[in-house]
Amino acid sequence: MNTKKTTVDDCKMVDIRKFSDDRGYLSVVEGELDIPFAIKRIYYLYMVPEAARGAHAHKQLQQLMIATSGSVHVTMDDGKNKKTFVLDKPWKGLLVAPGLWRTLDNFSGGAVCMVLASEHYEDEDYIRDYDEFLKYKSL
Ligand code: TYD
């Protein structure tokens, strides 16, 4: 995938499968079945104070972000356009396309944002400087 060309419209909200009965809800995500990649890594953000997180881009990494508890705003930026997604249900996920700048903020009290990732942690996959990101997108 040429991730220099991806746009905010390549990100989309998806409904996560859920099963409910009188014992409550269960949601499930299976790599390569419910999402277009195999899951190599899971991490989660929690006890986040006021400050925003993220503020970087990935060259290849694909992710599914889920607010498993509480809510969080995720703003995607392709250098030309920005789009903010509100994650506020454990059965809603945001499929994050590679090659986009992302910022996470507005964490509600007690929010937990879980991220399912297509790759192991690789520092070389990060773009942490916004001007470098714009250059990467050839803007
Ligand atoms: P950082 O990339 O700054 O978090 P954010 O997603 O909010 O930008 O990561 C914080 C620290 O955690 C940093 O020292 C790198 C480390 N880290 C790992 O070791 N493995 C991981 O999978 C992730 C996402 C972060």
Side-chain angles (χ1 to χ4, degrees):
M1 190 192 302
N2 183 358
T3 72
K4 291 172 186 280
K5 300 289 175 206
T6 50
T7 75
V8 293
D9 294 325
D10 295 316
C11 297
K12 61 175 184 193
M13 296 296 302
V14 293
D15 284 333
I16 296 170
R17 281 190 280 151
K18 62 179 190 296
F19 300 90
S20 69
D21 56 33
D22 54 10
R23 298 170 299 163
Y25 285 78
L26 181 154
S27 276
V28 58
V29 179
E30 293 192 56
E32 296 177 298
L33 292 178
D34 298 301
I35 52 176
F37 57 85
I39 299 159
K40 282 201 183 161
R41 177 167 54 113
I42 297 171
Y43 64 93
Y44 38 98
L45 307 169
Y46 52 97
M47 293 170 69
V48 177
E50 297 276 299
R53 298 205 59 123
H56 61 249
H58 287 283
K59 293 175 195 158
Q60 294 300 331
L61 190 70
Q62 301 178 69
Q63 294 166 309
L64 181 75
M65 296 184 179
I66 306 163
T68 53
S69 181
S71 63
V72 56
H73 293 190
V74 183
T75 301
M76 304 305 305
D77 175 354
D78 57 25
K80 284 188 179 148
N81 294 301
K82 290 184 185 179
K83 204 168 179 177
T84 297
F85 298 88
V86 178
L87 307 187
D88 59 357
K89 301 279 188 301
W91 61 87
K92 294 275 181 197
L94 175 64
L95 263 178
V96 176
L100 301 170
W101 192 263
R102 86 283 313 281
T103 308
L104 285 75
D105 61 10
N106 268 289
F107 282 81
S108 67
V112 180
C113 182
M114 185 168 73
V115 183
L116 314 183
S118 64
E119 304 298 336
H120 294 297
Y121 182 75
E122 286 170 33
D123 203 47
E124 313 77 63
D125 190 60
Y126 279 74
I127 304 173
R128 299 184 190 277
D129 179 83
Y130 192 72
D131 288 334
E132 195 189 316
F133 168 69
L134 292 180
K135 267 187 219 146
Y136 179 76
K137 301 296 268 185
S138 311
L139 294 169

